[in-house]
C-alpha cells in the first residue's frame, strides 16, 4: 500500500460508525425523546464548537503531533473578537478578522517552534496553552464580554426544516468537514499531510518539503480554532474568558474516537465528526436518563482507552 494513502483498516473505518449506531440504538430504548429530530439538532449544536476545533486537531494528529493549546487559543480568539467589537467599536467583520488573525498567529508560532527549533509538539502547545490563557485573562480582566452586536451572534441563530430548528453554525461545521475531507483526500497537499505522518524522513527524501507541510498544518489548525471562537461566541452570546478549558481534551477525544491514529499517517476527518457525535450522543443520552455527569466523564474516558487500544492492535496486526 502506498504509505501516503489515507485508507484505513476496515476496523478503524467502520468502528466509529458502529459505535455511534449502537449508542443511538441503546439510548433510543432508554428514552422516547432521544430519537426526535429536535434532540438530534440539539446534539449537533452542542458539538459544533468542539467539532470545528477537532478538524484542526485532526490535521495535527495526522502528522503525529498534538495540540494542547487549541481550547485556550479558541477562548482568546473569542475575547479578541468581542472586545474589539464592543470596546474599540470595530465593525463586526473586522473584529472577527482580528480574532481569526490572533488564533492563526498562535498556530504559526506553534508551527515555527515545532519545525524550526524542533521542539516536541506536546511541550510547545503546553506552553502556548498557558500563554493563551494568561493573555485571555489579562486582556479581559477575567470579565465576561456582553452586549455584542448581532453580527457576532448570527451563527447561533436557527432556521426551521419542518418542526426542527437547525443552527446556522451546524451548517457551517458540516461544510468545513466536507472541505477538509475533500482537501485531504483529493489534493496533493492533503496527501502530503498523510505522507509526513507516516514517515517524515522518507517523505523528505522524495522531495516533499516536510517542514513547510507541518508549518501549514499548524497555521491552518489555528484558523479552524478561530472559526470555533466565532461559533462559541455565537452559541453563548458572550465573550467568555473561561471558555476553552476542556475543549482541548474533548477535541482529542473526538479525533481518537473517530479512528485517527495518534501515531500519525492514518485517519479520515469525517471520522472525527463521528467521534464528536459519539461523545455528544453519550452525554445527551445519559442526561436524558438522569445519569450524573461524573459517569458521563467516566464512560468517555473508557471509550478513549478502547479507541487507542484498537488503534494499537490494528498497527500490530498490519506489521
Amino acid at each position: 500500500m502506498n504509505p501516503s494513502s489515507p485508507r484505513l483498516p476496515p476496523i478503524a473505518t467502520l468502528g466509529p460508525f458502529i459505535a455511534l449506531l449502537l449508542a443511538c440504538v441503546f439510548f433510543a430504548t432508554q428514552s422516547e425523546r432521544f430519537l426526535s429530530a429536535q434532540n438530534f439538532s440539539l446534539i449537533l449544536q452542542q458539538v459544533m464548537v468542539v467539532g470545528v476545533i477537532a478538524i484542526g486537531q485532526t490535521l495535527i494528529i495526522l502528522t503525529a503531533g498534538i495540540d494542547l493549546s487549541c481550547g485556550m487559543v479558541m477562548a482568546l480568539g473569542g475575547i479578541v473578537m468581542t472586545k474589539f467589537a464592543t470596546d474599540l467599536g470595530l465593525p463586526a467583520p473586522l473584529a472577527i478578522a482580528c480574532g481569526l488573525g490572533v488564533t492563526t498567529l498562535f498556530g504559526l508560532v506553534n508551527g515555527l517552534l515545532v519545525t524550526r527549533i524542533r521542539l516536541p509538539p506536546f511541550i510547545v502547545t503546553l506552553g502556548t496553552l498557558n500563554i493563551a490563557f494568561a493573555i485571555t485573562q489579562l486582556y479581559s480582566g477575567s470579565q465576561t464580554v456582553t452586549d455584542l452586536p448581532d453580527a457576532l451572534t448570527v451563527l447561533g441563530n436557527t432556521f426551521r426544516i419542518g418542526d426542527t430548528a437547525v443552527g446556522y453554525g451546524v451548517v457551517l461545521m458540516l461544510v468545513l468537514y466536507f472541505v477538509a475531507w475533500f482537501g485531504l483526500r483529493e489534493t496533493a497537499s492533503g496527501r502530503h499531510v498523510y505522507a509526513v505522518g507516516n514517515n517524515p524522513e522518507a517523505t523528505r527524501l522524495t522531495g516533499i518539503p516536510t517542514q513547510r507541510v507541518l508549518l501549514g498544518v499548524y497555521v491552518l489548525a489555528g484558523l479552524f480554532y478561530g472559526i470555533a471562537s466565532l461559533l462559541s461566541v455565537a452559541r453563548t452570546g458572550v465573550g467568555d474568558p473561561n471558555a476553552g478549558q476542556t475543549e482541548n481534551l474533548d477535541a482529542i477525544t473526538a479525533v481518537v474516537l473517530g479512528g485517527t491514529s495518534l501515531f500519525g499517517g492514518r485517519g479520515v476527518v469525517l471520522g472525527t465528526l463521528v467521534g464528536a457525535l459519539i461523545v455528544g450522543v453519550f452525554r445527551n443520552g445519559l442526561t436524558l436518563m438522569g445519569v450524573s455527569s461524573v459517569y458521563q466523564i467516566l464512560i468517555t474516558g473508557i471509550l478513549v482507552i478502547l479507541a487507542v487500544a484498537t488503534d494499537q492492535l490494528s498497527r500490530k496486526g498490519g506489521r
Side-chain angles (χ1 to χ4, degrees):
M1 181 183 293
N2 187 337
S4 65
S5 171
R7 293 181 180 178
L8 285 168
I11 186 173
T13 304
L14 297 178
F17 292 95
I18 294 173
L20 179 60
L21 179 61
L22 291 176
C24 289
V25 170
F26 172 76
F27 289 118
T29 64
Q30 302 300 309
S31 172
E32 60 183 16
R33 291 182 293 166
F34 179 79
L35 285 181
S36 67
Q38 294 89 342
N39 189 55
F40 280 115
S41 177
L42 176 61
I43 292 173
L44 285 169
Q45 292 179 57
Q46 290 172 336
V47 305
M48 68 181 183
V49 174
V50 169
V52 173
I53 294 175
I55 298 176
Q57 190 72 251
T58 301
L59 296 176
I60 291 174
I61 290 179
L62 281 173
T63 63
I66 199 164
D67 189 353
L68 299 179
S69 70
C70 56
M72 290 316 308
V73 170
M74 181 273 293
L76 176 58
I79 288 298
V80 169
M81 291 177 189
T82 53
K83 293 280 283 185
F84 277 28
T86 57
D87 291 1
L88 301 183
L90 294 183
L94 183 55
I96 292 170
C98 291
L100 294 176
V102 168
T103 61
T104 304
L105 178 61
F106 262 84
L108 176 63
V109 171
N110 284 337
L112 288 173
L113 291 173
V114 170
T115 59
R116 297 295 187 266
I117 306 182
R118 300 184 183 278
L119 297 177
F122 182 92
I123 299 301
V124 168
T125 58
L126 180 61
T128 51
L129 178 156
N130 289 289
I131 292 170
F133 175 77
I135 294 174
T136 300
Q137 296 298 316
L138 290 171
Y139 182 52
S140 67
S142 301
Q143 299 297 312
T144 300
V145 184
T146 58
D147 299 322
L148 306 182
D150 292 340
L152 281 179
T153 59
V154 66
L155 289 175
N157 297 336
T158 60
F159 62 94
R160 303 198 73 82
I161 298 179
D163 295 330
T164 305
V166 179
Y168 289 106
V170 170
V171 175
L172 176 60
M173 177 189 72
L174 296 176
V175 169
L176 291 175
Y177 267 97
F178 174 78
V179 171
W181 169 82
F182 181 86
L184 285 170
R185 182 180 176 86
E186 302 296 336
T187 68
S189 297
R191 291 189 288 273
H192 292 169
V193 171
Y194 283 101
V196 170
N198 267 309
N199 191 326
E201 182 59 22
T203 301
R204 185 186 66 81
L205 292 175
T206 64
I208 295 174
T210 55
Q211 300 303 305
R212 189 183 304 170
V213 172
L214 278 174
L215 182 60
V217 162
Y218 280 91
V219 170
L220 189 56
L223 179 60
F224 279 114
Y225 305 156
I227 298 172
S229 301
L230 180 58
L231 290 176
S232 178
V233 169
R235 176 163 172 75
T236 61
V238 298
D240 184 4
N242 296 314
Q245 298 192 26
T246 61
E247 274 76 358
N248 56 350
L249 299 182
D250 289 343
I252 294 170
T253 297
V255 176
V256 171
L257 290 180
T260 296
S261 173
L262 287 172
F263 302 97
R266 299 191 305 169
V268 179
V269 72
L270 293 181
T272 297
L273 176 59
V274 176
L277 289 174
I278 290 173
V279 175
V281 163
F282 266 92
R283 290 179 177 174
N284 176 270
L286 292 173
T287 298
L288 291 176
M289 293 172 59
V291 176
S292 169
S293 60
V294 174
Y295 292 100
Q296 299 176 27
I297 298 172
L298 172 65
I299 292 175
T300 301
I302 293 173
L303 289 174
V304 171
I305 293 174
L306 290 175
V308 174
T310 300
D311 175 42
Q312 184 78 309
L313 291 173
S314 69
R315 285 173 59 84
K316 290 181 178 179
R319 291 175 181 173

